[in-house]
Amino acid sequence: MNLSFLSDCAIQDLPSALAERADHVLGGSAIGFPAGSGKKTDWPLQTVVTPLLGGNSERMDEAWLSDVVCQSGEFEGISWRCAGPLLFGVIELDEADFAGQAGSSPLQEASAEAYRRIFTLLDAQQRPHLWRVWNYLSDINTETAGLERYRQFNIGRQDSFLEFSRGATGNVPAACALGVAGGPLSIAFMAGIYPAVPVENPRQVSAYNYPSEYGPRSPTFSRAVLAYLPAQEVLFISGTASIVGHQTVHPGDLAGQCRESLANIAAVLAEANRLACSDTFVMSELSFRVYIRHATDFLPARNILLPLMGADVEIVFVQADICRHDLLIEIEAFALHFLGNR
């Protein structure tokens, strides 16, 4: 099978276009304040209710498509579809349903339970390798019960990785974790039969090796992964910010953080190309999602980023809180290549 990606950047009224190919939609997302955002689709859909920045629409639709018909299922609150070696799923959990146990919080318990269900599903469907995860939670930088909520999430996530003998270092998925104003813990994920190849950034300490000053448990993700279908190589770049080593650099300086984030993406690209089996990945071919903490920073950030990314890149700007309170921007990206001789 082959994988493709469509968004409103390329097709106007993407939901209508997808309806004609519903059996081939692996899953997707609706970002912004879409009218009828709770409307049921035939495929797993992650709804991210947070402002889009720029453009003329309050809604951005995105979808992953397979060239073979998908199979659908539901499992303990997870809506999922699979095609060939791939599985895409979405789970949303209300923290209010998880009374914190002694020494934990509702968010920690909800995070652990979400990943327990994900790993159970992946094992049952024989697609055990988690490639890419998109995590969204409310009030990510708020401190409750003496601990920042992002750090609570990291504890719950890592607990499940260890419980299912996945390990919390090395071969872990690409991921992001962003803050939105409200709503449930929302997790979308892509997994496969074959393991992905983790890619780290030589300019940064691997997130899973962060020192304890960043919380009781380190974040469980790779800077990027190279994932493989029979005829394709997929590069997923995790949420990337202005961090060198393990420290935030350019605090309060939007321009500096924009340039440092892209310098980190460039370093990840270089490392990915050292490991890749397909043609060279370049910055100008990537599809980007840019998260900006303050809406007023959108125009200056866009003016800085676009000349460095490439004039024709596909890019979506979203307002969201970043996992550290001193980070103003985070950038994620991906690219698809057909395999061939290098």
Side-chain angles (χ1 to χ4, degrees), residues 34-218:
S37 59
K39 182 180 178 182
K40 181 71 174 177
T41 62
D42 293 331
W43 54 86
L45 183 72
Q46 184 176 44
T47 301
V48 184
V49 182
T50 197
L52 288 170
L53 301 173
N56 299 318
S57 175
E58 291 187 336
R59 173 181 178 136
M60 165 64 67
D61 289 283
E62 300 176 335
W64 297 95
L65 277 74
S66 165
D67 62 355
V68 300
V69 172
C70 299
Q71 296 177 316
S72 301
E74 298 280 340
F75 174 77
E76 294 191 357
I78 301 175
S79 172
W80 60 269
R81 272 193 169 187
C82 62
L86 267 183
L87 185 147
F88 184 95
V90 175
I91 181 171
E92 292 186 348
L93 293 180
D94 188 339
E95 294 175 40
D97 294 334
F98 296 85
Q101 299 177 0
S104 66
S105 68
L107 174 58
Q108 179 181 327
E109 293 298 319
S111 303
E113 179 60 21
Y115 276 88
R116 286 189 196 104
R117 296 183 192 182
I118 290 169
F119 291 140
T120 301
L121 170 66
L122 298 187
D123 287 344
Q125 293 299 316
Q126 299 182 333
R127 292 166 176 84
H129 300 288
L130 200 55
W131 289 359
R132 179 61 163 101
V133 189
W134 295 263
N135 303 282
Y136 298 92
L137 55 145
S138 62
D139 302 320
I140 193 170
N141 301 130
T142 299
E143 184 174 308
T144 61
L147 192 64
E148 185 187 47
R149 281 172 53 80
Y150 176 59
R151 299 181 181 191
Q152 297 173 25
F153 166 78
N154 282 332
I155 295 172
R157 171 169 59 176
Q158 191 177 111
D159 280 348
S160 287
F161 270 81
L162 297 176
E163 179 183 340
F164 281 78
S165 301
R166 299 282 176 142
T169 62
N171 193 17
V172 290
C176 60
L178 283 302
V180 293
L185 171 65
S186 176
I187 302 175
F189 57 95
M190 189 179 292
I193 292 175
Y194 313 110
V197 176
V199 180
E200 290 301 312
N201 181 353
R203 303 180 79 240
Q204 296 178 314
V205 173
S206 296
Y208 46 74
N209 286 330
Y210 278 173
S212 60
E213 66 189 85
Y214 298 102
R217 300 285 184 85
S218 297

Side-chain angles (χ1 to χ4, degrees), residues 71 77 144 147 233 250 261 267 322-323:
Q71 296 177 316
T144 61
L147 192 64
E233 183 174 53
H250 311 295
S261 299
I322 319 301
C323 63

Side-chain angles (χ1 to χ4, degrees), residues 198-202 226 235 265-276:
V199 180
E200 290 301 312
N201 181 353
L226 290 163
L235 173 63
I265 289 178
V268 169
L269 278 177
E271 184 65 10
N273 284 323
R274 187 181 69 82
L275 301 170

Side-chain angles (χ1 to χ4, degrees), residues 274-320:
R274 187 181 69 82
L275 301 170
C277 300
S278 64
D279 292 337
T280 301
F281 289 97
V282 296
M283 184 82 71
S284 59
E285 72 172 308
L286 298 177
S287 294
F288 292 95
R289 189 181 294 177
V290 177
Y291 302 98
I292 297 178
R293 183 180 292 274
H294 304 298
T296 52
D297 285 340
F298 161 62
L299 286 176
R302 184 183 66 176
N303 291 339
I304 295 165
L305 292 172
L306 286 181
L308 300 174
M309 291 174 166
D312 298 323
V313 296
E314 186 173 293
I315 181 169
V316 177
F317 290 90
V318 181
Q319 184 178 5

